[in-house]
Amino acid sequence: MILTYCYKIKPNTEQVAIMDRWLELLRRHWNYALGQRLDWLNRTRCSIDRCSIVSEPIGAIPERVNYYTQQSALKETKRLFPEYKKIYAETQQVNLQRLNKAWDRWRKPDASGKRGGRPRFKKPGDLRSFVFPRVNHTKAGAHLIDGVLKLSRIGSMAVVMHRPLPEGFTLKQCTIIKKADGWYCCISMKDDTVPELLPVASVKSAVGIDVGLEKFLTTSDGEAVPIAQFYRKAQNRLAQAQQVMSRRVKGSKNWEKAKNQVALLHLHLTRCRKEFHYQVAHWLCSKYDLIAHENLNIKGLARTKLAKSIHDAAWGSFLEILQAVAVKRGLLVQKVNPRGTSIECFNCGASVEKNLADRVHHCPDCGVKIDRDWNSGINILNRALMAVGLPLNGCGKSIQDIEEQQVSFANLRSPHHNL
């Protein structure tokens, strides 16, 4: 299992200048290496049945460009540009490895046949991190001992150890990141002991969660977590900060300060949203052994008119955090098919068509009348129980259970207030 802890570091002025210079040199090398790859691709690819009427590459066909050829060319790069000798060698190699991964994601489809976007040339300031691939090793470039981080060719600096490193983990990698409010080191750790998942037969409590935009999520037990809408509530402050930045001369010091203020606001929103997601995930994992959710196509939903609200809720990030928290606790998370969970009646299985404006599920066949998100949560739970082979009467919901809990949904206790 891999864990990553992020700590703030306190470099001095000279060390900040060195790290900024490293980022700029690595950015230039990224752009040069990407240009090499694109030039090789353009010179060795053409349509099999026609030629371009605009231009065609001429001359000798260049040799294949890949990670190994570019890595071997680092010696020539350092000879022509002595500044690169000051950068730790493995850091430059990792920079090329990152480019190679981005290139492979673009050129080679994944298991589902999809490919990533083409790697982009980076503008000044776009590259914000570099990596030391080994930590606390005899030949490592980074050593973290007693709250002091020593980086090769940069020096030692204090680390704000707001939480201790877990015992028994092996430190694997150190990533130095530049953020709007300072510099951080992300320490990746590996634990060879794999946490044992809870056996299905030992599941005593299960829940289905339906994520939404009116409420962040609704459980099959009828509890609702209100949506936070961090971005929506901060739009006015962001607009003012962006207006100030737009009135500054681009590239000036005042423009840089205004730009940093905008970045600080976005960083604050990101941290608030992430903390909220962790609170909800820990609340669910402390209460249930099995958590079921829909396998949503969030990327597709984010192309609709509700894109801003969906990005603000960040369902994808929340479900990833929920999965990580559950794995650390040895609990089960089950994905289910989302098709029809909102229109299917949990009691009789009849299909009750609804618009987005219809917030109540009222089945004409059996007479059940509950909130539509609550109904979806129960359907999600029932599908998950069938998927893992548990009986519905063991952890699922019946009409008798709902009748016992049937109260005004608007007056339901919100667990978010007790997080």
Side-chain angles (χ1 to χ4, degrees):
M1 182 173 64
I2 299 292
L3 287 180
T4 301
Y5 282 8
C6 192
Y7 300 100
K8 190 164 188 177
I9 56 178
K10 294 184 176 181
N12 56 37
T13 306
E14 182 180 355
Q15 291 170 339
V16 168
I18 294 174
M19 292 190 292
D20 279 330
R21 188 58 182 166
W22 280 28
L23 289 177
E24 175 59 19
L25 292 175
L26 291 172
R27 180 192 71 85
R28 295 178 183 178
H29 193 217
W30 168 287
N31 289 344
Y32 176 78
L34 177 58
Q36 266 189 323
R37 288 173 177 260
L38 292 175
D39 181 66
W40 170 81
L41 186 67
N42 292 332
R43 286 180 172 272
T44 57
R45 297 291 186 275
C46 67
S47 302
I48 60 175
D49 60 343
R50 66 186 67 86
C51 294
S52 172
I53 63 174
V54 179
S55 63
E56 280 292 329
I58 60 176
I61 297 176
E63 295 182 1
R64 182 178 180 86
V65 179
N66 53 31
Y67 167 70
Y68 299 103
T69 60
Q70 292 184 328
Q71 182 189 20
S72 62
L74 283 174
K75 293 182 180 179
E76 184 67 13
T77 301
K78 294 177 182 179
R79 187 184 68 81
L80 295 174
F81 305 97
E83 282 185 305
Y84 283 91
K85 294 181 180 179
K86 301 178 182 178
I87 302 178
Y88 187 64
E90 289 184 351
T91 299
Q92 298 180 64
Q93 294 170 9
V94 173
N95 191 45
L96 291 176
Q97 291 170 12
R98 285 177 164 184
L99 174 60
N100 189 59
K101 289 181 181 178
W103 183 267
D104 288 342
R105 282 196 298 267
W106 177 46
R107 299 298 301 164
K108 301 176 183 178
D110 58 11
S112 61
K114 297 181 180 179
R115 299 192 303 177
R118 195 191 79 175
R120 298 182 180 181
F121 293 101
K122 296 186 180 295
K123 298 178 181 178
D126 282 356
L127 189 66
R128 301 185 183 92
S129 66
F130 55 88
V131 179
F132 290 89
R134 291 186 288 182
V135 183
N136 287 2
H137 188 268
T138 53
K139 296 183 179 181
H143 294 82
L144 179 59
I145 302 173
D146 297 331
V148 177
L149 179 65
K150 185 178 180 181
L151 302 177
S152 177
R153 306 188 183 186
I154 296 178
S156 301
M157 58 194 74
V159 181
V160 181
M161 303 291 291
H162 60 276
R163 57 177 174 177
L165 294 171
E167 296 182 0
F169 281 67
T170 305
L171 304 187
K172 302 294 289 184
Q173 180 176 283
C174 176
T175 305
I176 306 299
I177 303 178
K178 182 182 182 181
K179 297 186 179 181
D181 62 340
W183 292 84
Y184 290 80
C185 68
C186 293
I187 306 296
S188 298
M189 299 161 284
K190 182 180 179 181
D191 185 13
D192 294 330
T193 60
V194 180
E196 295 183 2
L197 293 179
L198 185 71
V200 175
S202 302
V203 173
K204 297 180 180 178
S205 57
V207 69
I209 59 173
D210 179 62
V211 295
L213 298 179
E214 185 184 37
K215 299 175 284 290
F216 180 69
L217 65 83
T218 305
T219 70
S220 55
D221 288 337
E223 293 181 300
V225 177
I227 195 161
Q229 291 188 327
F230 294 105
Y231 180 78
R232 291 277 187 183
K233 294 176 182 177
Q235 279 189 118
N236 291 336
R237 284 184 294 159
L238 276 170
Q240 292 175 0
Q242 290 167 341
Q243 189 178 47
V244 170
M245 186 182 72
S246 67
R247 292 174 177 174
R248 300 289 186 264
V249 177
K250 189 172 183 179
S252 65
K253 288 188 177 180
N254 286 334
W255 179 82
E256 290 287 348
K257 291 179 182 178
K259 181 182 177 183
N260 191 62
Q261 287 298 317
V262 176
L264 284 172
L265 281 173
H266 280 290
L267 184 62
H268 177 69
L269 295 181
T270 301
R271 288 171 173 169
C272 289
R273 187 183 292 113
K274 187 175 182 180
E275 176 66 17
F276 170 70
H277 288 167
Y278 267 106
Q279 288 179 354
V280 177
H282 279 289
W283 170 72
L284 288 171
C285 291
S286 63
K287 196 173 181 182
Y288 302 101
D289 298 331
L290 170 64
I291 304 168
H293 65 83
E294 295 174 305
N295 187 15
L296 296 172
N297 179 18
I298 300 175
K299 187 177 291 186
L301 292 172
R303 297 192 185 102
T304 64
K305 294 186 293 184
L306 301 174
K308 183 185 288 187
S309 298
I310 291 173
H311 285 304
D312 194 9
W315 298 331
S317 298
F318 167 70
L319 295 177
E320 288 181 1
I321 289 173
L322 177 64
Q323 178 72 39
V325 172
V327 167
K328 287 177 65 176
R329 294 187 177 214
L331 305 179
L332 302 176
V333 175
Q334 180 66 38
K335 298 179 182 179
V336 301
N337 185 358
R339 188 175 183 83
T341 56
S342 296
I343 63 175
E344 181 181 321
C345 179
F346 80 93
N347 185 41
C348 65
S351 295
V352 183
E353 297 294 336
K354 307 179 188 70
N355 297 322
L356 282 176
D358 300 328
R359 306 312 304 172
V360 177
H361 168 78
H362 188 190
C363 181
D365 293 348
C366 62
V368 169
K369 188 176 183 180
I370 62 172
D371 183 87
R372 66 176 288 166
D373 297 331
W374 191 357
N375 175 72
S376 298
I378 299 172
N379 286 329
I380 293 168
L381 172 61
N382 291 337
R383 292 184 184 187
L385 294 176
M386 288 188 290
V388 300
L390 287 174
L392 297 185
N393 57 2
C395 297
K397 290 293 176 182
S398 63
I399 186 61
Q400 291 79 13
D401 299 327
I402 299 300
E403 289 176 351
E404 293 176 1
Q405 297 178 0
Q406 190 69 278
V407 292
S408 175
F409 197 75
N411 296 327
L412 286 174
R413 176 178 64 85
S414 170
H416 174 55
H417 298 302
N418 297 327
L419 293 177

